[in-house]
Amino acid sequence: LTKEKIIIMTKIIAIDGPAGVGKSTIANKLSKYLDAPVLMSGKLYRAVACEAIIQKKNPTNIKSIEIIAQNIDVNIYSDEQLYNDQIDQFSSKISSKKPIRQALINLQRSFPKNFRKSKKFCIIEGRDIGTVIFPKADIKIFMWASSEVRAIRRLEQVKKVNKKAKLTSIQKSIIERDLRDMSRKLAPLIPAADSYLCDNSNYSIEQSFKTILKIIKSKKY
Ligand code: DC
């Protein structure tokens, strides 16, 4: 008799959506609840941008930024280094370039393999996870909120450190990034046809979390 092998295939939860919609907040909450590892793909683009800035590269110098992307290690940068206006803009610019996206594909696709047999779910959040990186993801969530709502939420966070922050300039920068992310030719931000659309403009984080959890549970994995 041959021994029966039980292979647990980790279910991939893809969460896509625009900047500031709460993807990482929801991904982290789901991660705790489901004991699922999470990959924030935007962090990869941010780390590449950060290293390019450290090396004084121009965002148009794609050849040398490609080499940075091929060798990137996200763990060596602090959150302060990765999450600021300069990196927001720089990472958004370089993420429209094919060699940069190409260089980061394997890192993203190999993520679930690490948990193949140990975790029931893994979560990957970004812009093109359900469309390009994992077109066969088991559950695809596309989160949305109006740019005004996202700007108001962002203002509340920024005000803690910068009392002079202005809603109009925050909203302008969000719209600029949306436009760039949604109109680029390569892997644009767009809902996958088989994704669940979750507009959280009028939802609290808790409501949004419960809604998405309900979708995941309805699959009865
Ligand atoms: O999610 P984030 O704001 O940390 O992402 C930073 C930038 O990287 C953002 O401008 C869009 C880009 N990005 C992307 O093009 N594709 C992804 N899967 C994730 C992020």
Side-chain angles (χ1 to χ4, degrees), residues 11-58:
K11 302 290 176 204
I12 297 176
I13 303 174
I15 305 179
D16 289 304
V21 76
K23 297 186 298 292
S24 40
T25 306
I26 293 297
N28 282 326
K29 277 178 85 76
L30 286 173
S31 165
K32 271 198 192 139
Y33 189 91
L34 299 169
D35 182 30
V38 50
L39 175 70
M40 316 244 174
S41 62
K43 231 176 166 174
L44 304 175
Y45 292 91
R46 286 176 182 274
V48 174
C50 184
E51 188 57 40
I53 291 169
I54 291 170
Q55 295 186 20
K56 300 198 177 0
K57 305 289 186 204
N58 191 292

mmCIF file of all heavy atoms in Angstrom, residues 11-58:
data_model
loop_
_atom_site.group_PDB
_atom_site.id
_atom_site.type_symbol
_atom_site.label_atom_id
_atom_site.label_comp_id
_atom_site.label_asym_id
_atom_site.label_seq_id
_atom_site.Cartn_x
_atom_site.Cartn_y
_atom_site.Cartn_z
ATOM 1 N N LYS A 11 -4.519 28.639 0.629
ATOM 2 C CA LYS A 11 -5.428 29.440 -0.187
ATOM 3 C C LYS A 11 -4.900 30.872 -0.253
ATOM 4 O O LYS A 11 -4.548 31.451 0.779
ATOM 5 C CB LYS A 11 -6.842 29.459 0.421
ATOM 6 C CG LYS A 11 -7.456 28.087 0.602
ATOM 7 C CD LYS A 11 -7.800 27.471 -0.721
ATOM 8 C CE LYS A 11 -8.318 26.051 -0.554
ATOM 9 N NZ LYS A 11 -8.136 25.245 -1.754
ATOM 10 N N ILE A 12 -4.889 31.390 -1.443
ATOM 11 C CA ILE A 12 -4.355 32.747 -1.621
ATOM 12 C C ILE A 12 -5.488 33.781 -1.596
ATOM 13 O O ILE A 12 -6.444 33.684 -2.363
ATOM 14 C CB ILE A 12 -3.575 32.859 -2.941
ATOM 15 C CG1 ILE A 12 -2.356 31.924 -2.884
ATOM 16 C CG2 ILE A 12 -3.158 34.306 -3.223
ATOM 17 C CD1 ILE A 12 -1.552 31.872 -4.165
ATOM 18 N N ILE A 13 -5.357 34.731 -0.684
ATOM 19 C CA ILE A 13 -6.316 35.840 -0.623
ATOM 20 C C ILE A 13 -5.619 37.064 -1.215
ATOM 21 O O ILE A 13 -4.621 37.542 -0.676
ATOM 22 C CB ILE A 13 -6.742 36.144 0.836
ATOM 23 C CG1 ILE A 13 -7.327 34.883 1.492
ATOM 24 C CG2 ILE A 13 -7.739 37.309 0.871
ATOM 25 C CD1 ILE A 13 -7.634 35.050 2.985
ATOM 26 N N ALA A 14 -6.115 37.537 -2.348
ATOM 27 C CA ALA A 14 -5.527 38.711 -3.005
ATOM 28 C C ALA A 14 -6.358 39.940 -2.654
ATOM 29 O O ALA A 14 -7.584 39.926 -2.807
ATOM 30 C CB ALA A 14 -5.513 38.502 -4.516
ATOM 31 N N ILE A 15 -5.704 40.963 -2.162
ATOM 32 C CA ILE A 15 -6.415 42.212 -1.844
ATOM 33 C C ILE A 15 -5.804 43.340 -2.655
ATOM 34 O O ILE A 15 -4.621 43.668 -2.491
ATOM 35 C CB ILE A 15 -6.330 42.556 -0.339
ATOM 36 C CG1 ILE A 15 -6.841 41.386 0.507
ATOM 37 C CG2 ILE A 15 -7.108 43.833 -0.038
ATOM 38 C CD1 ILE A 15 -6.773 41.627 2.012
ATOM 39 N N ASP A 16 -6.581 43.893 -3.550
ATOM 40 C CA ASP A 16 -6.092 45.020 -4.357
ATOM 41 C C ASP A 16 -6.936 46.255 -4.092
ATOM 42 O O ASP A 16 -8.070 46.163 -3.596
ATOM 43 C CB ASP A 16 -6.153 44.661 -5.856
ATOM 44 C CG ASP A 16 -5.107 43.614 -6.231
ATOM 45 O OD1 ASP A 16 -3.921 43.864 -5.974
ATOM 46 O OD2 ASP A 16 -5.494 42.561 -6.779
ATOM 47 N N GLY A 17 -6.381 47.393 -4.467
ATOM 48 C CA GLY A 17 -7.127 48.645 -4.311
ATOM 49 C C GLY A 17 -6.176 49.823 -4.332
ATOM 50 O O GLY A 17 -4.954 49.645 -4.310
ATOM 51 N N PRO A 18 -6.739 51.038 -4.375
ATOM 52 C CA PRO A 18 -5.896 52.228 -4.485
ATOM 53 C C PRO A 18 -5.182 52.578 -3.185
ATOM 54 O O PRO A 18 -5.459 51.981 -2.136
ATOM 55 C CB PRO A 18 -6.911 53.320 -4.852
ATOM 56 C CG PRO A 18 -8.178 52.873 -4.214
ATOM 57 C CD PRO A 18 -8.171 51.375 -4.306
ATOM 58 N N ALA A 19 -4.318 53.573 -3.269
ATOM 59 C CA ALA A 19 -3.579 54.042 -2.102
ATOM 60 C C ALA A 19 -4.535 54.566 -1.039
ATOM 61 O O ALA A 19 -5.526 55.230 -1.358
ATOM 62 C CB ALA A 19 -2.623 55.152 -2.520
ATOM 63 N N GLY A 20 -4.259 54.234 0.199
ATOM 64 C CA GLY A 20 -5.013 54.811 1.322
ATOM 65 C C GLY A 20 -6.410 54.259 1.512
ATOM 66 O O GLY A 20 -7.224 54.849 2.225
ATOM 67 N N VAL A 21 -6.691 53.098 0.924
ATOM 68 C CA VAL A 21 -8.053 52.555 1.052
ATOM 69 C C VAL A 21 -8.175 51.643 2.284
ATOM 70 O O VAL A 21 -9.276 51.238 2.662
ATOM 71 C CB VAL A 21 -8.470 51.831 -0.258
ATOM 72 C CG1 VAL A 21 -7.806 50.458 -0.383
ATOM 73 C CG2 VAL A 21 -9.979 51.714 -0.368
ATOM 74 N N GLY A 22 -7.033 51.348 2.908
ATOM 75 C CA GLY A 22 -7.056 50.504 4.109
ATOM 76 C C GLY A 22 -6.674 49.057 3.867
ATOM 77 O O GLY A 22 -6.954 48.200 4.698
ATOM 78 N N LYS A 23 -6.020 48.794 2.757
ATOM 79 C CA LYS A 23 -5.648 47.408 2.434
ATOM 80 C C LYS A 23 -4.752 46.798 3.509
ATOM 81 O O LYS A 23 -4.990 45.681 3.943
ATOM 82 C CB LYS A 23 -4.892 47.334 1.089
ATOM 83 C CG LYS A 23 -5.681 47.756 -0.112
ATOM 84 C CD LYS A 23 -4.896 47.507 -1.381
ATOM 85 C CE LYS A 23 -3.599 48.297 -1.464
ATOM 86 N NZ LYS A 23 -3.779 49.743 -1.597
ATOM 87 N N SER A 24 -3.720 47.547 3.915
ATOM 88 C CA SER A 24 -2.793 46.943 4.875
ATOM 89 C C SER A 24 -3.436 46.778 6.249
ATOM 90 O O SER A 24 -3.162 45.797 6.947
ATOM 91 C CB SER A 24 -1.469 47.698 4.957
ATOM 92 O OG SER A 24 -1.669 49.058 4.909
ATOM 93 N N THR A 25 -4.313 47.708 6.634
ATOM 94 C CA THR A 25 -5.022 47.571 7.920
ATOM 95 C C THR A 25 -5.860 46.292 7.901
ATOM 96 O O THR A 25 -5.810 45.484 8.842
ATOM 97 C CB THR A 25 -5.946 48.791 8.153
ATOM 98 O OG1 THR A 25 -5.158 49.963 8.021
ATOM 99 C CG2 THR A 25 -6.609 48.752 9.505
ATOM 100 N N ILE A 26 -6.619 46.113 6.824
ATOM 101 C CA ILE A 26 -7.478 44.928 6.708
ATOM 102 C C ILE A 26 -6.627 43.662 6.591
ATOM 103 O O ILE A 26 -6.901 42.654 7.253
ATOM 104 C CB ILE A 26 -8.435 45.074 5.490
ATOM 105 C CG1 ILE A 26 -9.438 46.211 5.724
ATOM 106 C CG2 ILE A 26 -9.149 43.757 5.176
ATOM 107 C CD1 ILE A 26 -10.397 46.016 6.895
ATOM 108 N N ALA A 27 -5.558 43.736 5.790
ATOM 109 C CA ALA A 27 -4.694 42.559 5.611
ATOM 110 C C ALA A 27 -4.102 42.134 6.965
ATOM 111 O O ALA A 27 -4.066 40.945 7.283
ATOM 112 C CB ALA A 27 -3.583 42.857 4.611
ATOM 113 N N ASN A 28 -3.692 43.101 7.769
ATOM 114 C CA ASN A 28 -3.112 42.763 9.073
ATOM 115 C C ASN A 28 -4.143 42.184 10.030
ATOM 116 O O ASN A 28 -3.859 41.263 10.792
ATOM 117 C CB ASN A 28 -2.451 43.994 9.705
ATOM 118 C CG ASN A 28 -1.096 44.266 9.071
ATOM 119 O OD1 ASN A 28 -0.381 43.344 8.688
ATOM 120 N ND2 ASN A 28 -0.748 45.533 8.915
ATOM 121 N N LYS A 29 -5.366 42.718 9.979
ATOM 122 C CA LYS A 29 -6.424 42.185 10.843
ATOM 123 C C LYS A 29 -6.785 40.755 10.427
ATOM 124 O O LYS A 29 -6.949 39.877 11.261
ATOM 125 C CB LYS A 29 -7.676 43.088 10.776
ATOM 126 C CG LYS A 29 -7.595 44.306 11.699
ATOM 127 C CD LYS A 29 -8.831 45.188 11.543
ATOM 128 C CE LYS A 29 -9.988 44.749 12.402
ATOM 129 N NZ LYS A 29 -9.828 45.106 13.819
ATOM 130 N N LEU A 30 -6.870 40.541 9.116
ATOM 131 C CA LEU A 30 -7.186 39.197 8.617
ATOM 132 C C LEU A 30 -6.058 38.236 8.987
ATOM 133 O O LEU A 30 -6.292 37.084 9.352
ATOM 134 C CB LEU A 30 -7.344 39.204 7.098
ATOM 135 C CG LEU A 30 -8.621 39.826 6.537
ATOM 136 C CD1 LEU A 30 -8.534 39.899 5.015
ATOM 137 C CD2 LEU A 30 -9.861 39.021 6.945
ATOM 138 N N SER A 31 -4.837 38.744 8.870
ATOM 139 C CA SER A 31 -3.663 37.931 9.168
ATOM 140 C C SER A 31 -3.727 37.396 10.605
ATOM 141 O O SER A 31 -3.474 36.217 10.844
ATOM 142 C CB SER A 31 -2.414 38.773 8.956
ATOM 143 O OG SER A 31 -1.301 38.171 9.526
ATOM 144 N N LYS A 32 -4.101 38.279 11.540
ATOM 145 C CA LYS A 32 -4.215 37.854 12.940
ATOM 146 C C LYS A 32 -5.339 36.849 13.110
ATOM 147 O O LYS A 32 -5.191 35.815 13.735
ATOM 148 C CB LYS A 32 -4.512 39.077 13.823
ATOM 149 C CG LYS A 32 -3.258 39.750 14.318
ATOM 150 C CD LYS A 32 -3.577 40.655 15.513
ATOM 151 C CE LYS A 32 -2.363 41.525 15.795
ATOM 152 N NZ LYS A 32 -2.726 42.898 16.120
ATOM 153 N N TYR A 33 -6.493 37.206 12.539
ATOM 154 C CA TYR A 33 -7.692 36.381 12.731
ATOM 155 C C TYR A 33 -7.516 34.984 12.119
ATOM 156 O O TYR A 33 -7.917 33.987 12.689
ATOM 157 C CB TYR A 33 -8.904 37.082 12.110
ATOM 158 C CG TYR A 33 -10.209 36.424 12.433
ATOM 159 C CD1 TYR A 33 -10.942 36.820 13.546
ATOM 160 C CD2 TYR A 33 -10.706 35.394 11.637
ATOM 161 C CE1 TYR A 33 -12.145 36.201 13.863
ATOM 162 C CE2 TYR A 33 -11.898 34.768 11.943
ATOM 163 C CZ TYR A 33 -12.626 35.175 13.051
ATOM 164 O OH TYR A 33 -13.792 34.562 13.364
ATOM 165 N N LEU A 34 -6.919 34.939 10.930
ATOM 166 C CA LEU A 34 -6.823 33.668 10.205
ATOM 167 C C LEU A 34 -5.476 32.964 10.400
ATOM 168 O O LEU A 34 -5.243 31.911 9.821
ATOM 169 C CB LEU A 34 -7.024 33.910 8.699
ATOM 170 C CG LEU A 34 -8.353 34.511 8.239
ATOM 171 C CD1 LEU A 34 -8.258 34.925 6.783
ATOM 172 C CD2 LEU A 34 -9.491 33.509 8.435
ATOM 173 N N ASP A 35 -4.601 33.580 11.185
ATOM 174 C CA ASP A 35 -3.232 33.084 11.344
ATOM 175 C C ASP A 35 -2.592 32.898 9.960
ATOM 176 O O ASP A 35 -2.052 31.838 9.628
ATOM 177 C CB ASP A 35 -3.232 31.750 12.124
ATOM 178 C CG ASP A 35 -1.817 31.234 12.341
ATOM 179 O OD1 ASP A 35 -0.894 32.061 12.427
ATOM 180 O OD2 ASP A 35 -1.642 29.994 12.382
ATOM 181 N N ALA A 36 -2.692 33.948 9.168
ATOM 182 C CA ALA A 36 -2.205 33.875 7.790
ATOM 183 C C ALA A 36 -1.058 34.861 7.572
ATOM 184 O O ALA A 36 -1.173 36.025 7.948
ATOM 185 C CB ALA A 36 -3.347 34.212 6.832
ATOM 186 N N PRO A 37 0.036 34.394 6.983
ATOM 187 C CA PRO A 37 1.117 35.332 6.676
ATOM 188 C C PRO A 37 0.673 36.348 5.626
ATOM 189 O O PRO A 37 -0.190 36.039 4.797
ATOM 190 C CB PRO A 37 2.230 34.442 6.124
ATOM 191 C CG PRO A 37 1.612 33.136 5.828
ATOM 192 C CD PRO A 37 0.330 33.022 6.585
ATOM 193 N N VAL A 38 1.223 37.548 5.692
ATOM 194 C CA VAL A 38 0.805 38.580 4.744
ATOM 195 C C VAL A 38 2.001 39.216 4.045
ATOM 196 O O VAL A 38 3.043 39.439 4.665
ATOM 197 C CB VAL A 38 -0.108 39.642 5.449
ATOM 198 C CG1 VAL A 38 0.503 40.147 6.726
ATOM 199 C CG2 VAL A 38 -0.427 40.816 4.541
ATOM 200 N N LEU A 39 1.838 39.459 2.757
ATOM 201 C CA LEU A 39 2.866 40.169 1.986
ATOM 202 C C LEU A 39 2.281 41.475 1.472
ATOM 203 O O LEU A 39 1.263 41.472 0.782
ATOM 204 C CB LEU A 39 3.334 39.321 0.793
ATOM 205 C CG LEU A 39 4.318 40.018 -0.157
ATOM 206 C CD1 LEU A 39 5.688 40.218 0.503
ATOM 207 C CD2 LEU A 39 4.492 39.241 -1.451
ATOM 208 N N MET A 40 2.926 42.581 1.827
ATOM 209 C CA MET A 40 2.500 43.888 1.310
ATOM 210 C C MET A 40 3.379 44.172 0.090
ATOM 211 O O MET A 40 4.545 44.561 0.252
ATOM 212 C CB MET A 40 2.733 44.973 2.345
ATOM 213 C CG MET A 40 2.313 44.553 3.726
ATOM 214 S SD MET A 40 1.002 45.546 4.316
ATOM 215 C CE MET A 40 0.613 44.736 5.848
ATOM 216 N N SER A 41 2.842 43.954 -1.090
ATOM 217 C CA SER A 41 3.700 44.068 -2.274
ATOM 218 C C SER A 41 4.188 45.503 -2.495
ATOM 219 O O SER A 41 5.260 45.721 -3.040
ATOM 220 C CB SER A 41 2.989 43.530 -3.509
ATOM 221 O OG SER A 41 1.828 44.287 -3.755
ATOM 222 N N GLY A 42 3.396 46.480 -2.049
ATOM 223 C CA GLY A 42 3.811 47.878 -2.197
ATOM 224 C C GLY A 42 5.132 48.164 -1.494
ATOM 225 O O GLY A 42 5.906 49.024 -1.913
ATOM 226 N N LYS A 43 5.384 47.391 -0.438
ATOM 227 C CA LYS A 43 6.626 47.568 0.317
ATOM 228 C C LYS A 43 7.843 47.257 -0.557
ATOM 229 O O LYS A 43 8.907 47.848 -0.387
ATOM 230 C CB LYS A 43 6.605 46.631 1.531
ATOM 231 C CG LYS A 43 6.917 47.338 2.824
ATOM 232 C CD LYS A 43 6.795 46.401 3.997
ATOM 233 C CE LYS A 43 7.439 47.045 5.212
ATOM 234 N NZ LYS A 43 7.265 46.305 6.422
ATOM 235 N N LEU A 44 7.672 46.317 -1.484
ATOM 236 C CA LEU A 44 8.772 45.971 -2.391
ATOM 237 C C LEU A 44 9.109 47.166 -3.280
ATOM 238 O O LEU A 44 10.269 47.534 -3.447
ATOM 239 C CB LEU A 44 8.399 44.766 -3.268
ATOM 240 C CG LEU A 44 7.982 43.477 -2.559
ATOM 241 C CD1 LEU A 44 7.532 42.437 -3.564
ATOM 242 C CD2 LEU A 44 9.139 42.933 -1.742
ATOM 243 N N TYR A 45 8.058 47.775 -3.854
ATOM 244 C CA TYR A 45 8.274 48.948 -4.719
ATOM 245 C C TYR A 45 8.857 50.107 -3.901
ATOM 246 O O TYR A 45 9.689 50.860 -4.383
ATOM 247 C CB TYR A 45 6.961 49.366 -5.392
ATOM 248 C CG TYR A 45 6.489 48.338 -6.397
ATOM 249 C CD1 TYR A 45 5.638 47.299 -6.017
ATOM 250 C CD2 TYR A 45 6.911 48.388 -7.719
ATOM 251 C CE1 TYR A 45 5.224 46.335 -6.920
ATOM 252 C CE2 TYR A 45 6.502 47.428 -8.636
ATOM 253 C CZ TYR A 45 5.649 46.411 -8.231
ATOM 254 O OH TYR A 45 5.250 45.452 -9.127
ATOM 255 N N ARG A 46 8.386 50.220 -2.663
ATOM 256 C CA ARG A 46 8.894 51.290 -1.789
ATOM 257 C C ARG A 46 10.368 51.073 -1.454
ATOM 258 O O ARG A 46 11.149 52.015 -1.435
ATOM 259 C CB ARG A 46 8.064 51.345 -0.493
ATOM 260 C CG ARG A 46 6.702 51.937 -0.706
ATOM 261 C CD ARG A 46 5.850 51.901 0.540
ATOM 262 N NE ARG A 46 4.544 52.447 0.243
ATOM 263 C CZ ARG A 46 4.246 53.737 0.282
ATOM 264 N NH1 ARG A 46 5.152 54.614 0.662
ATOM 265 N NH2 ARG A 46 3.034 54.158 -0.041
ATOM 266 N N ALA A 47 10.730 49.821 -1.169
ATOM 267 C CA ALA A 47 12.131 49.534 -0.831
ATOM 268 C C ALA A 47 13.038 49.847 -2.025
ATOM 269 O O ALA A 47 14.118 50.413 -1.858
ATOM 270 C CB ALA A 47 12.270 48.073 -0.416
ATOM 271 N N VAL A 48 12.571 49.498 -3.231
ATOM 272 C CA VAL A 48 13.358 49.796 -4.438
ATOM 273 C C VAL A 48 13.520 51.310 -4.580
ATOM 274 O O VAL A 48 14.621 51.821 -4.827
ATOM 275 C CB VAL A 48 12.697 49.193 -5.702
ATOM 276 C CG1 VAL A 48 13.427 49.625 -6.965
ATOM 277 C CG2 VAL A 48 12.639 47.669 -5.601
ATOM 278 N N ALA A 49 12.413 52.041 -4.372
ATOM 279 C CA ALA A 49 12.465 53.514 -4.461
ATOM 280 C C ALA A 49 13.433 54.072 -3.428
ATOM 281 O O ALA A 49 14.253 54.948 -3.725
ATOM 282 C CB ALA A 49 11.064 54.085 -4.248
ATOM 283 N N CYS A 50 13.363 53.539 -2.223
ATOM 284 C CA CYS A 50 14.207 54.014 -1.129
ATOM 285 C C CYS A 50 15.689 53.810 -1.457
ATOM 286 O O CYS A 50 16.504 54.725 -1.322
ATOM 287 C CB CYS A 50 13.815 53.255 0.142
ATOM 288 S SG CYS A 50 14.669 53.802 1.602
ATOM 289 N N GLU A 51 16.010 52.606 -1.931
ATOM 290 C CA GLU A 51 17.406 52.313 -2.275
ATOM 291 C C GLU A 51 17.872 53.195 -3.445
ATOM 292 O O GLU A 51 19.002 53.678 -3.451
ATOM 293 C CB GLU A 51 17.544 50.821 -2.620
ATOM 294 C CG GLU A 51 18.958 50.339 -2.811
ATOM 295 C CD GLU A 51 19.870 50.589 -1.617
ATOM 296 O OE1 GLU A 51 19.429 50.424 -0.466
ATOM 297 O OE2 GLU A 51 21.047 50.971 -1.843
ATOM 298 N N ALA A 52 16.978 53.426 -4.405
ATOM 299 C CA ALA A 52 17.330 54.279 -5.558
ATOM 300 C C ALA A 52 17.634 55.701 -5.088
ATOM 301 O O ALA A 52 18.573 56.340 -5.576
ATOM 302 C CB ALA A 52 16.194 54.269 -6.579
ATOM 303 N N ILE A 53 16.848 56.168 -4.135
ATOM 304 C CA ILE A 53 17.076 57.524 -3.604
ATOM 305 C C ILE A 53 18.405 57.566 -2.836
ATOM 306 O O ILE A 53 19.195 58.494 -3.003
ATOM 307 C CB ILE A 53 15.886 57.981 -2.724
ATOM 308 C CG1 ILE A 53 14.652 58.207 -3.610
ATOM 309 C CG2 ILE A 53 16.230 59.268 -1.954
ATOM 310 C CD1 ILE A 53 13.351 58.403 -2.858
ATOM 311 N N ILE A 54 18.653 56.532 -2.042
ATOM 312 C CA ILE A 54 19.924 56.458 -1.293
ATOM 313 C C ILE A 54 21.102 56.509 -2.278
ATOM 314 O O ILE A 54 22.084 57.206 -2.068
ATOM 315 C CB ILE A 54 19.991 55.170 -0.423
ATOM 316 C CG1 ILE A 54 18.979 55.258 0.728
ATOM 317 C CG2 ILE A 54 21.406 54.935 0.124
ATOM 318 C CD1 ILE A 54 18.766 53.969 1.506
ATOM 319 N N GLN A 55 20.947 55.784 -3.388
ATOM 320 C CA GLN A 55 22.025 55.748 -4.391
ATOM 321 C C GLN A 55 21.954 56.921 -5.375
ATOM 322 O O GLN A 55 22.622 56.915 -6.407
ATOM 323 C CB GLN A 55 21.987 54.419 -5.159
ATOM 324 C CG GLN A 55 22.286 53.214 -4.293
ATOM 325 C CD GLN A 55 22.377 51.926 -5.122
ATOM 326 O OE1 GLN A 55 22.585 51.957 -6.342
ATOM 327 N NE2 GLN A 55 22.209 50.790 -4.479
ATOM 328 N N LYS A 56 21.094 57.892 -5.040
ATOM 329 C CA LYS A 56 20.935 59.120 -5.845
ATOM 330 C C LYS A 56 20.609 58.846 -7.314
ATOM 331 O O LYS A 56 21.124 59.501 -8.220
ATOM 332 C CB LYS A 56 22.197 59.985 -5.733
ATOM 333 C CG LYS A 56 22.519 60.433 -4.313
ATOM 334 C CD LYS A 56 23.466 61.595 -4.342
ATOM 335 C CE LYS A 56 23.818 62.203 -3.012
ATOM 336 N NZ LYS A 56 23.270 61.673 -1.792
ATOM 337 N N LYS A 57 19.753 57.867 -7.552
ATOM 338 C CA LYS A 57 19.341 57.560 -8.920
ATOM 339 C C LYS A 57 18.134 58.411 -9.278
ATOM 340 O O LYS A 57 17.272 58.668 -8.445
ATOM 341 C CB LYS A 57 18.942 56.081 -9.070
ATOM 342 C CG LYS A 57 19.996 55.091 -8.644
ATOM 343 C CD LYS A 57 21.162 55.049 -9.589
ATOM 344 C CE LYS A 57 22.126 53.937 -9.214
ATOM 345 N NZ LYS A 57 23.497 54.184 -9.698
ATOM 346 N N ASN A 58 18.061 58.766 -10.545
ATOM 347 C CA ASN A 58 16.913 59.487 -11.054
ATOM 348 C C ASN A 58 15.817 58.459 -11.359
ATOM 349 O O ASN A 58 16.133 57.381 -11.861
ATOM 350 C CB ASN A 58 17.355 60.211 -12.331
ATOM 351 C CG ASN A 58 16.336 61.199 -12.797
ATOM 352 O OD1 ASN A 58 15.250 60.820 -13.223
ATOM 353 N ND2 ASN A 58 16.681 62.465 -12.690
#
